[in-house]
């Protein structure tokens, strides 16, 4: 196992630039359920219903009815050793960018600066009528909560049925097509268009290294099996031995 980490550490150091693509799995150890985790939030609440733009438009109270489960806790979730390891790798000059599908803001909290949140973030909440911004968790009460102008509030996240913000998608494409190593961490790699980014990286000659508790991206060149909060600090420790 040690030598495997050593080889991958060399790959990261020697084949720069390196970019990471992360999914719900990296935040699992912060206590945020992934889509697939047993007994998790999304087993009780079908995201295709509770996080759908059509349902939101028809009846925003459905979406907001689970605010107590997730949004209210926004400030209480903290980054784990996986997020911190990526921020450290960036500060060492060995990770150019993090592309995340997560809306939990934990990469930002951990100190990652080169960051694209392609599905947006729960940090920002807007009035759909006047555009006034509110910041989680300081929101008006109510299900749904209303702005003082009477408009309904909506987090700046991409719901099912909505398209991704163009600048974010362009940044994700640019980062993926110009990196030479991509770390694919804690994503089931099925939700488009994020799922195609590792392929974009590979087509442009990057080596793809997957970190997951079970293999999800069959095209990866290397696979590090385990929890992100264990694997990533270990990889960073190996990298430190080389520089
Ligand atoms: P997913 O739930 O489909 O897949 C999670 C992946 O993480 C799985 O492959 C699983 O094996 C892996 N995993 C679980 N625990 C892990 C750990 N400790 N370390 C490493 N890997 C682990 O998530 P996805 O691929 O990100 O796609 C789901 C969509 O849902 C995304 O669009 C995302 O925006 C959204 N979502 C976000 C959050 C969040 O913001 N934290 C949480 C749930 C879902
Ligand atoms: Zn308003």
């Amino acid at each position: 196992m040690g030598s495997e980490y050593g080889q991958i550490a060399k790959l990261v150091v020697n084949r720069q630039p390196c970019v990471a693509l992360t999914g719900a799995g990296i935040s699992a150890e912060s206590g945020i359920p992934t889509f697939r985790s047993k007994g998790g939030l999304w087993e009780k609440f079908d995201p295709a219903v509770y996080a759908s733009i059509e349902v939101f438009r028809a009846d925003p109270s459905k979406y907001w009815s689970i605010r107590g489960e997730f949004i209210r806790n926004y400030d209480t979730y903290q980054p784990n050793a996986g997020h911190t390891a990526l921020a450290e790798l960036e500060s060492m000059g060995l990770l150019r960018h993090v592309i995340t599908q997560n809306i939990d803001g934990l990469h930002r909290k951990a100190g990652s600066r080169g960051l694209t949140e392609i599905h947006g973030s729960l940090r920002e909440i807007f009035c759909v009528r006047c555009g006034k911004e509110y910041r989680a968790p300081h929101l008006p009460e109510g299900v749904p909560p209303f702005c003082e102008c009477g408009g309904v509030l909506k987090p700046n996240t991409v719901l099912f049925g909505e398209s991704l913000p163009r600048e974010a998608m362009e940044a994700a494409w640019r980062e993926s097509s110009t990196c030479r190593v991509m770390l694919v961490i804690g994503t089931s790699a099925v939700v488009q268009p994020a799922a195609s980014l590792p392929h974009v990286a590979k087509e442009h000659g990057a080596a793809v290294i997957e970190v997951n508790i079970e293999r999800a991206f069959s095209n990866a060149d290397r696979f590090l099996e385990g929890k992100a909060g264990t694997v990533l600090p270990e990889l960073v420790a190996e990298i430190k031995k080389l520089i």
Side-chain angles (χ1 to χ4, degrees):
M1 177 163 126
S3 71
E4 197 189 2
Y5 274 84
Q7 284 169 18
I8 294 175
K10 271 188 206 143
L11 200 67
V12 171
V13 172
N14 296 333
R15 277 182 73 113
Q16 289 287 312
C18 177
V19 164
L21 171 68
T22 70
I26 196 170
S27 296
E29 291 160 85
S30 293
I32 302 175
T34 66
F35 271 169
R36 297 156 136 222
S37 55
K38 302 249 173 347
L41 182 60
W42 303 115
E43 213 166 65
K44 280 186 279 175
F45 304 103
D46 181 358
V49 174
Y50 281 84
S52 131
I53 187 63
E54 263 177 63
V55 175
F56 184 89
R57 287 199 184 113
D59 176 13
S61 64
K62 187 107 183 155
Y63 174 91
W64 283 103
S65 67
I66 58 170
R67 61 178 285 174
E69 306 262 359
F70 194 16
I71 299 173
R72 180 167 296 162
N73 290 331
Y74 179 80
D75 256 16
T76 63
Y77 292 120
Q78 292 305 325
N80 62 56
H83 300 101
T84 309
L86 292 185
E88 194 179 358
L89 204 53
E90 178 182 358
S91 69
M92 290 157 69
L94 294 173
L95 181 66
R96 187 176 67 185
H97 206 85
V98 176
I99 305 162
T100 189
Q101 301 171 79
N102 298 342
I103 56 176
D104 55 35
L106 293 182
H107 285 297
R108 180 84 70 92
K109 277 190 194 165
S112 285
R113 301 168 69 96
L115 176 66
T116 300
E117 295 167 311
I118 56 174
H119 294 162
S121 164
L122 286 173
R123 194 171 46 243
E124 300 142 7
I125 298 189
F126 292 95
C127 167
V128 299
R129 189 186 288 172
C130 75
K132 180 174 174 184
E133 186 180 346
Y134 292 77
R135 286 257 155 178
H138 309 289
L139 298 177
E141 288 301 321
V143 173
F146 289 101
C147 176
E148 46 205 26
C149 84
V152 73
L153 303 189
K154 179 187 177 297
N156 187 23
T157 58
V158 179
L159 299 184
F160 285 98
E162 280 189 297
S163 49
L164 273 64
R166 219 184 97 203
E167 323 78 72
M169 230 24 244
E170 280 172 5
W173 233 266
R174 191 173 58 241
E175 292 295 335
S176 302
S177 59
T178 58
C179 67
R180 294 191 69 227
V181 193
M182 178 180 267
L183 304 171
V184 178
I185 305 159
T187 175
S188 57
V190 290
V191 182
Q192 286 295 355
S196 46
L197 296 174
H199 298 279
V200 170
K202 268 199 83 103
E203 278 161 20
H204 289 82
V208 173
I209 300 160
E210 176 172 31
V211 176
N212 202 312
I213 51 174
E214 61 183 29
R215 201 157 186 155
F217 184 65
S218 55
N219 263 333
D221 299 284
R222 310 298 294 252
F223 176 54
L224 284 174
E225 184 177 354
K227 294 184 172 180
T230 309
V231 171
L232 293 174
E234 192 157 331
L235 182 60
V236 170
E238 281 297 325
I239 288 171
K240 280 183 180 160
K241 290 183 195 164
L242 300 173
I243 57 173

